[in-house]
Amino acid sequence: MSKNSVSTLAPLSIAFSLGGVVLFFFFVRKAGLGQVLDGLQSLGAGFLLILLLSGVRLTVRTLCWMRCFEAPHQLRFRDAFRAYLIGDAMGNLMPLGIVVSEPVKAMMVRERVPLVAALSAVAVENIFYSFSVAIFIFTGTATLLLSFAVPDALRVTGIAILTGIVGIIAVSYFVIGRQWKFASALLEIIHRRGLANKLLSAERRSRVANLEDGIYGFYQRNRSRFLPILLFECIFHLAGVAEVYVTLLFISDMPPTILAAIILESVNRIINVVFKFVPLRVGVDEAGTGLLTNVLKFGTATGVTLAIVRKARLIFWTGAGVGLLLHRGLSLRSVVKEAEDSVAQQVY
């Protein structure tokens, strides 16, 4: 993402942010500002426990990434954790954040491991993570539909989500099993048609193919790592459920249940996936969580308060990532450009 790309995305970021802010204030007003403030006051020092649980989640995602490196390449935890925080912060602050965050993580450790190795590990870990998210969302959605009386529109949406997840998992399993190399195949087609011949040199096409080989080859060479990585991903989701449960213990008059926490966390995963383009998910998290907690009989105010608590811990860790970035003498704009240039040189 070049300087021009950043400039192009800036108006989008501003528009999405303004829309989110409007939605945020609408739902805070709908829930009742006094009730929301009372809930936040009830949390008090419990926010430290929320930060601890969210820190566990960041830690296990970092450990997953570390286990996706193949010998002789490996990372120390402190290097990987710093890179993860910086990349995650970039993803939270910018529209289309995942396009930025993953290359930034790889770029931040390029002094320790080759960039292509870091990119392959990022891609592999994201495949494991995406699979775990799909299973978790499926579980939460099925639990909601089977355990609670929901409006017809929500039921139809839930069934569509379940059907979509089954289809995505089936297609992904088929693609990985067949080892279809989409990127390199597309570049070869473009090259054979005589388009962008100077840009798509044999060396660059080979680098893309090698990156794909590294991703697919991981599954053949490291089957013993599958279970540990998936267990770490499960811990990530369980810590998220615990975070929701603990927050509800402090802010809700109605005693929370594990089922409710699972459902709320699964919806939070959906919001993160669908609305990744909205910086910090401002407004959409409050809207989605507030509507769902109303269905679960906790009330809209509890859902909006829960979303604000999540936003506060997200801002905390985003601030930590930005602080690490600035400590290295880099700005948000410069690190995006540097990540793009590094990836272009090594891969394309």
Side-chain angles (χ1 to χ4, degrees), residues 271-289:
I271 291 172
N272 282 352
V273 172
V274 176
F275 296 99
K276 189 69 175 176
F277 58 89
V278 180
L280 295 174
R281 266 74 69 203
V282 174
V284 293
D285 195 9
E286 287 73 18
T289 308

Side-chain angles (χ1 to χ4, degrees), residues 148 248-257 260 293 296-299 302:
F148 295 89
L248 290 177
L249 276 177
F250 282 95
I251 69 174
S252 174
D253 293 331
M254 188 173 84
T257 64
T293 51
L296 299 178
K297 310 303 182 186
F298 285 96
T302 297

Side-chain angles (χ1 to χ4, degrees), residues 1-22:
M1 191 175 297
S2 62
K3 182 176 181 179
N4 290 335
S5 301
V6 174
S7 299
T8 301
L9 287 176
L12 288 176
S13 181
I14 294 172
F16 290 141
S17 298
L18 289 176
V21 168
V22 171

Side-chain angles (χ1 to χ4, degrees), residues 29-217:
R29 182 178 179 181
K30 181 179 179 181
L33 179 60
Q35 288 182 276
V36 172
L37 292 177
D38 287 343
L40 293 174
Q41 187 175 11
S42 297
L43 178 63
F47 184 63
L48 296 177
L49 184 54
I50 303 302
L51 288 180
L52 176 62
L53 289 169
S54 60
V56 169
R57 304 179 79 191
L58 295 170
T59 298
V60 295
R61 283 295 304 277
T62 301
L63 292 173
C64 285
W65 182 32
M66 291 170 62
R67 290 196 65 83
C68 291
F69 281 90
E70 294 189 85
H73 309 302
Q74 59 181 355
L75 279 178
R76 297 178 301 184
F77 175 78
R78 64 181 183 182
D79 294 324
F81 190 67
R82 281 199 298 258
Y84 190 91
L85 281 181
I86 292 172
D88 200 51
M90 297 295 295
N92 291 329
L93 291 174
M94 299 193 67
L96 302 177
I98 193 170
V99 178
V100 177
S101 63
E102 306 312 296
V104 167
K105 292 173 189 175
M107 187 199 72
M108 286 296 161
V109 295
R110 70 190 188 282
E111 296 176 357
R112 300 288 180 181
V113 294
L115 183 60
V116 171
L119 288 171
S120 294
V122 164
V124 169
E125 194 277 329
N126 270 276
I127 291 173
F128 278 105
Y129 174 68
S130 297
F131 177 75
S132 71
V133 167
I135 296 299
F136 184 72
I137 290 176
F138 186 95
T139 302
T141 304
T143 301
L144 174 63
L145 296 181
L146 293 174
S147 304
F148 295 89
V150 299
D152 290 340
L154 183 56
R155 182 169 296 278
V156 171
T157 301
I159 293 173
I161 290 172
L162 294 178
T163 304
I165 289 174
V166 171
I168 291 171
I169 291 177
V171 171
S172 300
Y173 181 81
F174 183 78
V175 168
I176 292 174
R178 295 273 182 163
Q179 296 192 14
W180 284 358
K181 301 174 181 177
F182 292 104
S184 56
L186 178 61
L187 294 183
E188 288 296 335
I189 292 172
I190 295 174
H191 175 70
R192 284 198 298 269
R193 291 180 179 243
L195 303 174
N197 283 339
K198 291 184 179 180
L199 178 64
L200 301 179
S201 64
E203 181 182 0
R204 287 175 176 172
R205 298 199 310 276
S206 176
R207 286 176 179 170
V208 174
N210 289 338
L211 178 60
E212 287 181 316
D213 286 337
I215 294 171
Y216 284 123

